[in-house]
């Protein structure tokens, strides 16, 4: 078991292990890994406009492991990324509507196991969700002009939607929504105490907890102060705590929230939105400006886990309070009705931010010139999320055999690109194992990536994603007869690889010892 960061820190070490053993590679939350230009033509078009962020660096380190592993198990609760880019290794095809694409679930060599919300509810694996949508109005100052009041709710988004939401989350509306969530968890805990005969104030598991997701760290600290005013002073610090990246003991607070009866209220920004396993979370106050579907789905999922300490399943329910804006309403409609395979492409190829999503969430949205003035809550309505249609997928093993149908060109290209990457990885591992050059002390990217760059030069400066079917076949044929280590001089003009290529050319095996490169070639033959 390891992490994306650990693999990226020592990619050659992990690749060598994969070549020594027949490996099953399990990747959790695969949507964190964006597709790369080498493997996805769409990503290749986006790469010119987007700088490489940390997630792309992770993809570059993990791609050779995917190419050399014997079996791959990829896990995700979503098939689209918040930034619109494709997900590493997933096969895509053109979607049913303009500017969309979808994961090609019936691709040869894939076995897709889907688990829809309807199935999960039928099997009582997750809890049903009730949304508490709070409407309100907000006023703000923009360029010395007072704007508003404007309602949060509307049939569709307009130019006032985000400024109104920005204002509401930092003024009186936020405290009203927070109060509704606080009263809901207080009443739930009181009912469960009474049903189980637990005296007031006595610590116990299974009473229910509240998760408050704030728009930024400043708002999070303010929300914590507000909540603690509603709790007896002698217990306020124990019951309600803060977990943000700048808060002391943040990880200790998260562990206590997960493992102990107290704290029962946690205020956070993004540290606890994904991967936090706290089945006791029964109420969520969604006071965040982010309206990305994958992000919101992860946040809602914090409250849908069945709590084994909370009594019968029928008596449990997830409750999510949120602003009643049209963007959140659109997320709920998509969560109910849209097929799970669809992934929208970004409207334009613009430069993507290099900041990680958890860091972006700690910054206010881009609303320069807006000064929040005042907001107030108007009406609260509750709706229970209905399970949407089954996860639209076709499993190859459930379909009739297609006879002697020829392989489509696109399927052949995918297969050959994967084969080409595997062959490059094999040569990289063999060269490292045979000491056919300087070892890990060489500066620059890993050997696998230098070999990829070398192959690109040999193929006329074309990456795998740009090669045609015939060019892919030619590249594979060339690799079957040649060693990339003998052509590293082609990288001399590239400042990323020139120094390491020169050092490899200058290196010679010690006198009296055989040339390990010859040994490697002999073994390969």
């Amino acid at each position: 078991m390891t992490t994306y960061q650990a693999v990226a820190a020592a990619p050659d070490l992990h690749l060598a292990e994969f070549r020594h053993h027949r490996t099953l590679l399990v990747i959790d939350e695969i949507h964190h890994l964006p597709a790369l230009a080498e493997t996805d033509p769409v990503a290749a078009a986006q790469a010119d406009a987007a700088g490489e962020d940390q997630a792309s660096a992770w993809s570059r380190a993990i791609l050779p492991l995917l190419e050399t592993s014997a079996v791959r198990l990829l896990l995700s609760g979503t098939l689209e990324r918040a930034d619109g880019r494709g997900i590493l290794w997933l096969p895509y095809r053109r979607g049913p509507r303009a500017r969309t694409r979808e994961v090609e679930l019936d691709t040869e060599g894939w076995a897709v196991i889907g688990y829809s919300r309807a199935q999960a509810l039928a099997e009582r694996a997750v809890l049903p969700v009730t949304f508490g949508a709070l409407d309100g109005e907000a006023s703000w100052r923009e360029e010395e002009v007072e704007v508003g009041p404007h309602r949060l709710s509307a049939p569709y988004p307009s130019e006032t939607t985000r400024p109104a939401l920005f204002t509401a989350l930092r003024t009186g509306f936020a405290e009203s929504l927070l109060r509704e969530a606080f009263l809901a968890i207080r009443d739930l805990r009181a009912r469960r105490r009474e049903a189980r005969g637990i005296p007031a104030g006595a610590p116990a598991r299974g009473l229910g907890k509240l998760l408050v997701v704030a728009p930024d760290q400043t708002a999070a600290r303010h929300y914590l102060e507000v909540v603690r005013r509603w709790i007896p002073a002698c217990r306020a610090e124990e019951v309600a705590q803060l977990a943000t990246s700048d808060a002391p003991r943040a990880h200790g607070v998260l562990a206590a929230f997960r493992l102990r009866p107290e704290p029962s209220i946690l205020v956070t920004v993004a540290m606890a939105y994904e991967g936090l396993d706290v089945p006791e979370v029964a109420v969520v106050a969604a006071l965040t400006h982010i309206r990305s579907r994958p992000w919101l789905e992860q946040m809602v999922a914090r409250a849908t886990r069945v709590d084994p300490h909370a009594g019968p399943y029928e008596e449990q329910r997830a409750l999510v309070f949120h602003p009643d804006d049209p963007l959140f309403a659109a997320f709920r409609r998509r969560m109910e009705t849209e097929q799970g395979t669809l992934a929208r492409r970004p409207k334009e190829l613009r430069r993507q931010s290099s900041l990680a999503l958890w860091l972006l969430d700690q910054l206010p949205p881009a609303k320069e010139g807006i000064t929040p003035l005042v907001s107030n809550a108007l009406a609260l309505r509750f709706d229970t999320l209905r399970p949407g249609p089954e996860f639209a997928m076709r499993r190859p093993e459930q379909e009739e055999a297609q006879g002697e149908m020829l392989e489509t060109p696109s399927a052949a290209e995918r297969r050959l690109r994967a084969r080409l990457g595997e062959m490059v990885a094999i040569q990289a591992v063999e060269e490292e194992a045979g000491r056919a050059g300087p070892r890990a002390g060489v500066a620059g990217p890993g050997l696998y990536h230098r070999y990829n760059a070398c192959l690109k030069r040999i193929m006329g400066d074309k990456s795998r994603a740009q090669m045609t079917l015939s060019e892919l076949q030619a590249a594979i044929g060339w690799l079957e007869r040649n060693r990339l280590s003998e052509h590293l001089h082609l990288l001399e003009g590239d400042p990323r690889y020139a120094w390491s290529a020169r050092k490899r050319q200058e290196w010679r095996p010690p006198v009296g010892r055989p040339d390990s490169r010859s040994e490697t070639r002999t073994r390969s033959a």
Side-chain angles (χ1 to χ4, degrees):
M1 182 181 295
T2 186
T3 64
Y4 294 147
Q5 293 94 331
V7 174
D12 291 339
L13 173 66
H14 289 82
L15 183 58
E17 287 297 311
F18 273 57
R19 294 306 308 162
H20 291 160
H21 306 283
R22 183 171 166 83
T23 305
L24 161 65
L25 174 62
V26 183
I27 301 182
D28 194 17
E29 309 292 5
I30 184 70
H31 59 270
H32 283 311
L33 302 177
L36 296 170
E38 299 95 303
T39 60
D40 184 351
V42 176
Q46 293 174 339
D48 294 336
E52 179 167 286
D53 54 9
Q54 184 184 42
S56 296
W58 293 345
S59 294
R60 292 190 180 280
I62 291 176
L63 177 60
L65 306 187
L66 280 163
E67 293 173 330
T68 55
S69 56
V71 184
R72 310 161 187 92
L73 177 59
L74 313 179
L75 308 174
S76 177
T78 177
L79 292 179
E80 64 175 336
R81 286 175 51 84
D83 59 9
R85 298 167 66 182
I87 299 174
L88 184 69
W89 197 257
L90 295 193
Y92 288 94
R93 63 187 173 198
R94 188 187 303 273
R97 298 195 297 275
R99 302 189 62 81
T100 66
R101 58 179 176 173
E102 61 184 9
V103 178
E104 193 170 357
L105 296 171
D106 53 359
T107 299
E108 182 182 358
W110 285 69
V112 181
I113 302 173
Y115 197 56
S116 69
R117 179 170 181 79
Q119 292 171 314
L121 286 170
E123 296 180 357
R124 299 188 172 190
V126 298
L127 298 175
V129 182
T130 296
F131 286 100
L134 185 63
D135 193 9
E137 57 184 11
S139 300
W140 61 93
R141 181 178 293 111
E142 187 171 357
E143 296 180 354
E144 303 304 323
V145 177
E146 184 171 332
V147 181
H150 285 283
R151 290 283 292 268
L152 286 177
S153 62
Y156 49 84
S158 67
E159 66 274 7
T160 64
T161 298
R162 289 196 177 275
L165 180 61
F166 178 85
T167 299
L169 295 179
R170 291 160 178 82
T171 49
F173 173 88
E175 294 189 17
S176 298
L177 190 149
L178 192 57
R179 181 68 177 176
E180 294 290 344
F182 175 80
L183 293 176
I185 194 64
R186 187 187 68 178
D187 294 345
L188 174 65
R189 290 174 64 87
R191 291 196 306 270
R192 289 182 176 178
R193 284 184 183 277
E194 183 179 2
R196 294 163 57 182
I198 300 174
R205 302 295 299 271
L207 298 179
K209 294 188 174 186
L210 167 63
L211 178 65
V212 180
V213 184
D216 54 55
Q217 294 185 5
T218 301
R221 290 189 288 270
H222 172 67
Y223 295 166
L224 179 67
E225 294 174 0
V226 171
V227 169
R228 284 179 172 177
R229 291 202 298 264
W230 300 331
I231 304 171
C234 61
R235 302 196 63 237
E237 292 190 7
E238 178 186 8
V239 171
Q241 294 192 19
L242 180 73
T244 60
S245 60
D246 69 338
R249 305 184 301 106
H251 291 286
V253 170
L254 284 176
F257 186 66
R258 183 169 63 91
L259 300 172
R260 299 175 182 171
E262 302 292 353
S264 58
I265 300 175
L266 181 69
V267 182
T268 185
V269 177
M271 287 187 68
Y273 97 94
E274 183 178 80
L276 180 68
D277 185 13
V278 184
E280 290 180 89
V281 172
V283 181
V284 173
L287 289 164
T288 173
H289 54 75
I290 292 181
R291 290 296 179 263
S292 159
R293 177 186 175 184
W295 201 97
L296 290 177
E297 283 181 338
Q298 290 283 351
M299 181 188 66
V300 170
R302 297 316 100 204
T304 61
R305 306 193 178 208
V306 181
D307 185 0
H309 303 288
Y313 175 88
E314 296 81 3
E315 298 178 5
Q316 299 186 48
R317 182 175 296 271
L319 181 56
V320 178
F321 289 90
H322 66 90
D324 194 12
D325 63 274
L327 298 173
F328 201 103
F331 153 70
R332 286 173 48 186
R333 287 193 298 270
R334 289 186 64 195
M335 195 172 176
E336 290 184 12
T337 62
E338 189 171 89
Q339 304 297 345
T341 61
L342 194 61
R344 285 184 172 84
R345 291 178 182 171
K347 292 183 179 180
E348 58 183 7
L349 297 178
R350 60 185 182 276
R351 181 175 179 85
Q352 300 289 343
S353 172
S354 60
L355 297 178
L357 182 58
W358 66 266
L359 180 56
L360 287 174
D361 191 39
Q362 298 177 42
L363 305 176
K367 296 295 176 188
E368 293 85 355
I370 289 179
T371 304
L373 296 178
V374 65
S375 66
N376 61 285
L378 297 177
L380 178 66
R381 61 184 176 87
F382 290 94
D383 292 294
T384 299
L385 179 67
R386 301 181 301 276
E390 295 295 325
F391 196 0
M393 63 176 57
R394 292 175 294 159
R395 301 185 185 179
E397 65 271 20
Q398 293 179 350
E399 296 182 353
E400 296 181 0
Q402 308 243 339
E404 298 298 323
M405 179 180 289
L406 295 176
E407 185 179 36
T408 63
S410 61
E413 288 178 0
R414 283 195 299 270
R415 176 176 56 80
L416 292 179
R417 287 191 182 102
R419 172 61 179 154
L420 199 56
E422 183 178 354
M423 294 176 72
V424 172
I426 288 173
Q427 288 200 18
V429 172
E430 288 179 345
E431 293 298 325
E432 289 292 344
R435 291 186 58 86
R439 296 195 56 128
V442 175
L447 183 58
Y448 171 79
H449 300 299
R450 292 199 293 277
Y451 276 15
N452 266 326
C454 183
L455 180 63
K456 182 178 178 180
R457 301 291 188 278
I458 293 167
M459 298 305 298
D461 280 332
K462 280 192 174 182
S463 66
R464 275 178 274 165
Q466 297 171 322
M467 291 183 195
T468 63
L469 183 60
S470 59
E471 289 171 336
L472 289 167
Q473 293 170 337
I476 289 176
W478 187 91
L479 277 179
E480 289 174 344
R481 303 185 302 273
N482 297 275
R483 304 294 298 183
L484 288 167
S485 60
E486 298 173 354
H487 295 79
L488 288 177
H489 61 277
L490 297 175
L491 302 179
E492 289 181 355
D494 192 325
R496 295 174 298 177
Y497 307 104
W499 186 84
S500 59
R502 186 170 63 253
K503 289 299 181 183
R504 284 179 173 270
Q505 282 189 323
E506 295 172 356
W507 183 86
R508 294 291 182 271
V511 177
R513 294 180 56 186
D515 188 340
S516 57
R517 286 177 293 183
S518 300
E519 289 184 316
T520 302
R521 285 196 294 272
T522 302
R523 289 195 299 269
S524 299

